[in-house]
């Protein structure tokens, strides 16, 4: 492998001093630990050849020899002529430019990679680097194979002036073409990634992964301090800061990167015809767990439904994901500066079928509820969900949503950040997603905060779930001026599963174990899994145009006299 990747110029010294914690580390141990400090966990820089060696399957690896070399277009000289700097970088690194291109597999999944090397003029973005990144994207497009970009850069290459600046547009439009073609793009942020690289291809990919402590930003700390004299907070622009602010999807230590990338490639990469759900076979046992005729459901006091739906022992979205789905990779952030813990989502598999699963998340304890904002999303949460749904549409992944929320967060900050607009945008987006969309209301379906994840081809509800325009307490307070009238309001609102099925608001009721889903999490998850598989099998044979037309017709029918009247007449006759 080492010979295949070429000579490593910089070998580990006998002893290395970690610049982060100042510990002295034996060089060979540092190499065995993938250049991660065993004392403080600091991730030291890797060369591009070493990075490729660690990520790729050895048997299928091919380094791509793409001719692209920087030239001195401007006749630029600072303390040294630009050609002298280029020659030294080539001698010191053994590389022709600051990017290596590779083709092969990661855990058996095909990928094209462009891997930057910070040793080559600080990984700066010049004409040759931009050309190599673009050629990698074009090759991924030609082969319909996912693209992985590993970034390490101080920014644009000043010695090439405006030509360097144009590489931002050139590489960005190359990523845009992959978006149009539905090809998965992955970005691995390593330390540091700044300037023109951060403001183009490194942050435009479908999934952004960062190594611990990796710094990313448009302007570096020194530029910020010198330009506007601001004092920067601790941890500013680090991966942890970025994750908290919704700007990267996840942080992975170096030893876990290969497994994470392999999992994402297997779910979101090139789909093999016939793999996953078989359309010709019904979901085994679906008829035993999903009721489609409301006459088959017993009448239960709606207020009892409400109390059971709110039981903290009921499975939440992460419980369902862990038991009903496989290979889940959680993705974070709205990429606009916000992350909301009340909505979780990511890529997963359902009986082998790649899906995007998104849901409201509450908790089982007061601490969990507080951390998850009691399952009430902020605008950041809805925008995160929208980003994941757009990614699903691009990649052709069915969308599964699990609804369990009292409603959207009603706070001052949520209003300042456009809560109403975020909910509205999600409703509009879901109506036109060209992929199958299935929703299960697992607990509370509260108002627009629930509908923002429930504009689906098929809407199911667990038998003790509730779905309403307002909470019974809110309705009682407004119309009766007495919160104690909540049980009466619950009955009047027809919020229980039986009434929702009668009205056609839901398409089926997923039967719960005796006493409710809170009594048997494994069985509850198995029934939800069976119901989802049945719905997806029915929908998987339809193309995007037909799905959108059918979904729009479904929601267009609500409130029309002929449809609503027929449903009510049937109830009166019974």
């Amino acid at each position: 492998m080492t010979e295949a990747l070429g000579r490593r110029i910089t070998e580990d010294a006998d002893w290395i001093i970690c610049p982060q914690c100042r510990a002295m580390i034996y060089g060979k141990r540092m190499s065995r630990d993938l250049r991660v400090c065993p004392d403080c966990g600091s991730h030291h820089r890797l060369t591009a050849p070493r990075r490729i060696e660690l990520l790729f399957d050895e048997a299928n690896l091919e380094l791509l020899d793409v001719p692209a070399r920087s030239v001195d277009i401007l006749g630029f000289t600072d303390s040294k002529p630009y050609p002298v700097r280029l020659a030294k970088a080539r001698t010191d690194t053994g590389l022709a430019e600051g990017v290596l291109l590779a083709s092969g597999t990661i855990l058996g999944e095909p990928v094209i990679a462009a891997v930057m090397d910070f040793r080559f003029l600080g990984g700066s973005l010049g004409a040759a680097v931009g050309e190599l990144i673009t050629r990698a994207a074009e090759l991924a497009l030609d082969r319909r194979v996912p693209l992985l970009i590993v970034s390490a850069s101080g920014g644009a290459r000043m010695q090439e002036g405006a030509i360097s600046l144009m590489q931002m547009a050139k590489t960005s439009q190359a990523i845009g073409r992959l978006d149009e073609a539905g090809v998965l793009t992955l970005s691995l942020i390593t330390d540091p990634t700044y300037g023109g690289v951060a403001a183009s291809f490194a942050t435009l990919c479908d999934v952004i992964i960062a190594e611990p402590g990796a710094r990313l930003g448009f302007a570096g700390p020194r530029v910020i301090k010198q330009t506007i004299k601001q004092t920067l907070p601790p941890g500013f622009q680090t991966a942890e800061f970025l994750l908290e602010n919704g700007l990267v999807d996840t942080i992975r230590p170096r030893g876990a990167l290969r497994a994470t990338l392999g999992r994402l490639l297997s779910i979101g990469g090139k789909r093999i015809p016939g793999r996953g759900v078989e359309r010709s076979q019904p979901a085994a046992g679906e008829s035993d767990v999903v009721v489609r005729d409301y006459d088959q459901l017993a009448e239960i006091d709606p207020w009892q439904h409400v109390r059971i739906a709110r039981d903290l022992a009921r499975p939440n979205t992460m419980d369902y994901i862990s038991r009903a789905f496989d290979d889940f990779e959680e993705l974070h952030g709205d990429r606009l500066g916000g992350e909301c813990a009340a909505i979780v989502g990511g890529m997963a598999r359902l009986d082998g079928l790649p899906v995007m699963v998104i849901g409201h998340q509450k908790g089982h304890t007061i601490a969990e509820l507080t951390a998850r904002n009691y399952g009430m999303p902020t605008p950041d949460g809805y925008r995160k969900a929208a980003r994941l749904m757009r990614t699903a549409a691009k990649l052709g992944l069915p969308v599964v949503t699990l609804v369990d929320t009292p409603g959207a967060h009603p706070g001052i900050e949520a209003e300042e950040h456009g809560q109403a607009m975020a909910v509205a945008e999600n409703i509009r987006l879901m109506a036109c997603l060209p992929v199958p969309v299935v929703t299960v209301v697992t607990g509370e379906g509260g108002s627009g905060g629930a509908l923002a994840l429930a504009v689906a081809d098929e809407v199911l509800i667990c038998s003790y779930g509730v779905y309403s325009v307002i909470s019974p307490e809110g309705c009682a307070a407004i119309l009766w001026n007495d919160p104690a009238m909540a049980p009466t309001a619950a009955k009047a609102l027809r919020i229980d599963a039986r009434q929702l099925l009668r009205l056609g608001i839901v398409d089926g009721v997923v039967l719960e174990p005796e006493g409710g889903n809170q009594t048997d999490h494994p069985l509850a998850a198995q029934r939800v899994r069976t119901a989802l598989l049945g719905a997806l099998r029915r929908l998987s044979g339809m193309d995007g145009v037909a799905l959108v037309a059918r979904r729009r017709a479904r929601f267009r029918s609500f409130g029309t006299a002929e449809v609503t009247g027929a449903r009510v007449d049937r109830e009166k006759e019974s």
Side-chain angles (χ1 to χ4, degrees), residues 24-35:
M24 184 170 286
I25 309 156
Y26 186 44
K28 289 186 178 180
R29 181 186 181 187
M30 191 72 161
S31 182
R32 287 195 303 270
D33 292 341
L34 311 181
R35 294 190 62 79

Side-chain angles (χ1 to χ4, degrees), residues 313-368:
R314 286 177 72 81
N316 55 44
T317 290
M318 290 302 291
D319 294 325
Y320 284 112
I321 288 175
S322 66
R323 294 182 182 274
F325 296 81
D326 304 302
D327 298 329
F328 177 64
E329 188 65 47
E330 186 174 359
L331 305 177
H332 295 84
D334 63 0
R335 299 274 179 91
L336 298 172
E339 163 64 4
C340 173
I343 284 185
V344 297
M347 296 182 185
R349 289 187 183 278
L350 184 67
D351 195 32
L353 175 70
V355 298
M356 187 73 76
V357 56
I358 305 165
H360 299 94
Q361 178 67 12
K362 290 182 178 177
H364 298 301
T365 66
I366 294 299
E368 290 174 348

Side-chain angles (χ1 to χ4, degrees), residues 294-295 565-574:
Y294 71 88
D295 284 328
R567 289 168 183 151
V568 173
D569 287 345
R570 183 186 172 198
E571 171 68 7
K572 287 180 179 178
E573 290 171 3
S574 65

Side-chain angles (χ1 to χ4, degrees), residues 15 18 21 23 40 70 107 113 138 154 173 187 193 195 199 203 207 216 238 372-373 439 469 497 504 542 552 556:
W15 292 93
C18 175
C21 67
C40 71
S70 294
L107 296 180
E138 290 172 345
Q173 72 179 19
S187 176
T193 298
T203 53
V207 180
L216 176 142
T238 61
R372 299 286 184 176
N373 202 30
T439 292
V469 68
M542 302 178 68
R552 287 175 172 170
R556 173 67 177 83

Side-chain angles (χ1 to χ4, degrees), residues 169-181:
K170 177 178 176 177
T171 55
S172 296
Q173 72 179 19
I175 298 296
R177 291 186 65 196
L178 292 174
D179 291 337
E180 293 167 1

Side-chain angles (χ1 to χ4, degrees), residues 80-240:
K80 297 178 183 178
Y82 181 37
V84 173
R85 291 193 180 278
L86 283 172
K88 186 175 189 306
R90 288 166 183 154
T91 300
D92 289 348
T93 64
L95 304 176
E97 253 303 334
V99 181
L100 276 182
L101 305 189
S103 171
T105 58
I106 297 177
L107 296 180
E109 300 296 333
V111 65
I112 301 293
V115 182
M116 302 186 74
D117 196 314
F118 192 80
R119 298 174 303 157
F120 198 103
L121 297 181
S124 52
L125 176 60
V129 170
E131 178 65 16
L132 289 165
I133 296 292
T134 302
R135 292 287 291 275
E138 290 172 345
L139 185 59
L141 180 62
D142 290 342
R143 296 184 183 179
R144 292 299 194 271
V145 168
L147 174 68
L148 167 65
I149 298 175
V150 183
S151 60
S153 176
R157 192 169 295 180
M158 292 175 287
Q159 293 90 342
E160 295 185 19
I163 296 296
S164 173
L165 182 66
M166 293 303 108
Q167 303 311 305
M168 295 170 64
K170 177 178 176 177
T171 55
S172 296
Q173 72 179 19
I175 298 296
R177 291 186 65 196
L178 292 174
D179 291 337
E180 293 167 1
V183 177
L184 175 68
T185 54
L186 303 174
S187 176
L188 173 56
I189 304 298
T190 73
D191 188 62
T193 298
Y194 280 115
V197 169
S200 58
F201 55 87
T203 53
L204 289 177
C205 294
D206 299 313
V207 180
I208 302 177
I209 306 164
E211 287 192 328
R215 294 166 295 167
L216 176 142
F218 183 58
R222 183 167 59 182
V223 173
I224 295 173
K225 290 177 182 178
Q226 291 178 350
T227 304
I228 59 176
K229 312 301 182 185
Q230 275 192 333
T231 301
L232 304 179
F236 181 67
Q237 293 182 326
T238 61
E240 293 73 19

